Amino acid sequence: GAVVSQHPSWVICKSGTSVKIECRSLDFQATTMFWYRQFPKQSLMLMATSNEGSKATYEQGVEKDKFLINHASLTLSTLTVTSAHPEDSSFYICSARHFRASGRNEQFFGPGTRLTVL
Amino acid sequence: AQSVTQPDIHITVSEGASLELRCNYSYGATPYLFWYVQSPGQGLQLLLKYFSGDTLVQGIKGFEAEFKRSQSSFNLRKPSVHWSDAAEYFCAVGATQAGTALIFGKGTTLSVSS
């Protein structure tokens, strides 16, 4: 149980285009999802916290107009990279907090999406 | 400030030898602690976690970790390393209250020599 999927697993796009990445909790409801970014040979850095039905909370230095996050349902959050540029090329990983895990900060990670912007 | 430090960037261990990866954290209260492993180009796999109770935690693939409050440490150990253990290892800390993201250390790259 507690499986999180991401789609697509990898994407290549041209500079200036927009890319949407989906994060789904397959067998549980997630009121909170998190989006992380990982550059090569580096650690995961939190980009934003996504709460179902409300606006996402972005970390300092993350452009909210560039990285649009929508959490329209308890099982789906989307990250849209708008007007992507080569410097946005990275590994994007989402995680979902289990709805029933109250009192415990237990998150389940998706497999990640590799974005390459040409 | 909340932080996680993994002092060793890269460690090389002979196959069959024991392993210890260090993790220190800075946190205001008792945190939840995690170790993840990541193979190249792959996502994260949870090795083990500590929430409360017994300070020695057993995980998958023969790994264990010990929470030492006095040292603010959560070191990962394995008695005998296999070549397939070569990967990137991340220590992470989370708040005890629900709904907050994890803070990750910078990771330790493990190489296994034959």
Side-chain angles (χ1 to χ4, degrees):
Chain A
V3 178
V4 177
S5 70
Q6 282 185 241
H7 178 80
S9 56
W10 59 269
V11 57
I12 301 173
C13 69
K14 293 182 178 179
S15 185
T17 62
S18 294
V19 175
K20 179 184 285 188
I21 302 170
E22 294 184 348
C23 176
R24 293 183 184 272
S25 55
L26 299 184
D27 50 2
F28 66 99
Q29 293 180 322
T31 55
T32 303
M33 290 184 174
F34 304 94
W35 287 95
Y36 297 82
R37 180 168 53 184
Q38 184 181 31
F39 290 110
K41 304 291 187 182
Q42 296 189 26
S43 187
L44 281 75
M45 298 300 294
L46 179 67
M47 297 176 66
T49 301
S50 169
N51 292 300
E52 186 266 338
S54 64
K55 290 183 179 180
T57 302
Y58 291 82
E59 295 300 297
Q60 189 173 10
V62 178
E63 300 175 60
K64 62 180 180 181
D65 294 330
K66 181 171 186 60
F67 298 99
L68 301 179
I69 291 173
N70 184 282
H71 194 159
S73 78
L74 287 172
T75 59
L76 173 64
S77 176
T78 60
L79 167 67
T80 301
V81 183
T82 63
S83 187
H85 291 283
E87 57 265 30
D88 298 323
S89 298
S90 187
F91 194 50
Y92 292 87
I93 303 176
C94 73
S95 70
R97 173 180 162 265
H98 197 300
F99 182 74
R100 293 182 183 275
S102 58
R104 281 190 174 183
N105 188 3
E106 192 156 9
Q107 297 174 31
F108 299 91
F109 284 83
T113 297
R114 173 77 58 193
L115 170 64
T116 301
V117 184
L118 302 177
Chain B
Q2 304 162 7
S3 66
V4 177
T5 302
Q6 293 180 245
D8 305 304
I9 297 174
H10 192 178
I11 285 183
T12 299
V13 176
S14 298
E15 189 170 16
S18 63
L19 168 71
E20 182 170 35
L21 301 182
R22 296 183 291 165
C23 173
N24 294 95
Y25 65 90
S26 174
Y27 215 75
T30 300
Y32 294 151
L33 294 157
F34 307 83
W35 274 100
Y36 290 90
V37 62
Q38 184 180 38
S39 297
Q42 302 297 311
L44 298 176
Q45 181 179 23
L46 178 66
L47 287 176
L48 47 77
K49 58 193 176 187
Y50 172 78
F51 288 139
S52 64
D54 192 347
T55 57
L56 184 62
V57 181
Q58 301 297 321
I60 62 172
K61 302 184 177 184
F63 286 93
E64 66 176 27
E66 186 172 12
F67 170 59
K68 293 186 176 180
R69 183 191 305 273
S70 62
Q71 299 178 19
S72 297
S73 69
F74 189 57
N75 295 347
L76 181 71
R77 300 193 294 251
K78 185 170 185 177
S80 178
V81 169
H82 189 262
W83 64 266
S84 61
D85 293 324
E88 189 80 13
Y89 291 79
F90 293 99
C91 179
V93 61
T96 52
Q97 66 268 28
T100 57
L102 298 184
I103 300 170
F104 285 84
K106 293 186 180 299
T108 297
T109 301
L110 173 65
S111 296
V112 180
S113 61
S114 57

